[in-house]
Amino acid sequence: MASDPARLDVLTMGRVGVDIYPLQAGVALEDVTTFGKYLGGSAAVITRTGNDPFGRFVHHALKHYGVGDQFVTGVPGLPTPVTFCEIFPPDDFPIYFYRYPKAPDLEIRPEELDYDAIRAARVFWVTATGLSAEPSRSATLAALRARGRAGVTVLDLDYRPMFWPSRQAARDAVAPALGLITVAVGNLDECDMAVGETDPRRAGAALLARGAGLAVVKQGPRGVLAVTPAGVVESPPVSIEILNGLGAGDGFGGALCHGLLAGWDTATVIRFANAAGALVASRLACSDAMPTRTEVEALLAGTGDAG
């Protein structure tokens, strides 16, 4: 049954799971004694879980955040993925994915998608991880083709080497998706995977040449660069004390959607998203750490970059 697509500002498709993060920083995972449980994965509303307690937690957490779970379905026989990390600030956060024998979110099937909702959403966001296995690969490409580059159609390059047999396999799988989107987002390593470029300006230009109208290149401590046909915009890094950098990309992505929906100019969008990512990096969790607009604007005002 079709949903009411008029209600959807943002519709995402990708991986989901449960983050089991240590409540102690600077401690090896084998020595950690206390953990917190949080919603994890990439932004994902069209996704699948196991029929297990962690799957039920995903539904509960989404509802808690005010996110509809009507496109989250269970897969018999596969467990909901869990992810552990270690926290060694400022820049060492080893991450351990348990997505065996196969993650349920890779069982998204083309025939199960609500194409009316996908076409109507103001922002549609997919991840490269969804291209790493069938039937999710076919479903992701089918969704993008049905979308027809309408509105804001985002590909999060989201390259995790452990999900792929090789970097070349990832590049080959991502190639057809690049021609079906309007916005590409990734860090320098992810851009290298997608278009074989590690220089941020060349990477941005290469993503535009593949079809994107906006390429956002995250450079970590060097800030963010955005490339459009009108030119290049850069946002310097935000100085903040880092606790756990793993959720920064999610905070950045959410804020990017907010700015694009608001119709802000490119410079304002990436400055806001950059600050949102920095705020999440200063906190322990990912989903629970997402900042409000007021918090982001306060940080920018404190840096003299409220713009």
Side-chain angles (χ1 to χ4, degrees):
M1 185 168 109
S3 65
D4 176 8
R7 296 174 54 196
L8 301 176
D9 279 336
V10 179
L11 180 59
T12 62
M13 181 174 176
R15 60 187 173 85
V16 75
V18 178
D19 289 342
I20 310 294
Y21 281 3
L23 299 181
Q24 300 150 278
V27 178
L29 195 57
E30 61 268 30
D31 297 320
V32 173
T33 57
T34 54
F35 295 85
K37 181 171 94 278
Y38 310 96
L39 181 67
S42 181
V45 177
I46 299 175
T47 193
R48 306 197 74 183
T49 68
N51 290 325
D52 53 23
F54 281 140
R56 294 193 292 274
F57 169 75
V58 168
H59 283 274
H60 294 163
L62 287 170
K63 291 175 181 176
H64 170 73
Y65 295 125
V67 177
D69 64 347
Q70 66 267 38
F71 302 129
V72 182
T73 58
V75 179
L78 292 179
T80 302
V82 296
T83 302
F84 292 86
C85 78
E86 294 174 304
I87 300 175
F88 297 105
D91 57 4
D92 186 19
F93 308 102
I95 190 166
Y96 305 90
F97 293 97
Y98 291 81
R99 293 167 57 87
Y100 311 112
K102 182 182 184 181
D105 54 63
L106 295 175
E107 284 293 311
I108 302 172
R109 298 179 178 276
E111 64 270 19
E112 297 169 345
L113 297 176
D114 185 335
Y115 291 103
D116 289 338
I118 289 167
R119 292 186 190 97
R122 294 177 65 195
V123 173
F124 182 56
W125 181 294
V126 302
T127 72
T129 295
L131 300 166
S132 66
E134 292 289 3
S136 175
R137 180 184 300 126
S138 292
T140 301
L141 292 174
L144 290 174
R145 293 186 183 109
R147 172 84 172 171
R149 302 179 81 246
V152 177
T153 305
V154 184
L155 175 63
D156 180 349
L157 295 174
D158 184 42
Y159 176 57
R160 310 284 179 160
M162 67 285 295
F163 297 165
W164 296 89
S166 68
R167 181 175 289 255
Q168 187 61 48
R171 184 173 297 164
D172 293 344
V174 166
L178 289 174
L180 300 170
I181 51 98
T182 65
V183 180
V185 182
N187 60 32
L188 287 172
D189 185 55
E190 291 165 338
C191 289
D192 176 62
M193 174 278 294
V195 294
E197 296 284 359
T198 54
D199 175 83
R201 289 176 179 252
R202 288 201 302 267
L207 289 166
L208 258 60
R210 303 298 199 280
L214 168 63
V216 180
V217 183
K218 296 180 286 188
Q219 305 175 78
R222 288 181 292 166
V224 182
L225 177 142
V227 183
T228 72
V232 176
V233 174
E234 295 188 72
S235 177
V238 177
S239 179
I240 199 164
E241 185 174 350
I242 295 174
L243 174 59
N244 182 4
L246 293 178
D250 299 309
F252 183 98
L256 180 71
C257 289
H258 179 82
L260 292 173
L261 284 169
W264 297 344
D265 63 79
T266 302
T268 302
V269 171
I270 65 166
R271 184 169 60 243
F272 185 85
N274 197 20
L279 276 172
V280 176
S282 72
R283 301 168 178 177
L284 172 64
C286 294
S287 53
D288 282 6
M290 296 297 131
T292 64
R293 178 174 176 173
T294 300
E295 289 174 319
V296 177
E297 290 174 342
L299 176 62
L300 289 173
T303 65
D305 194 26

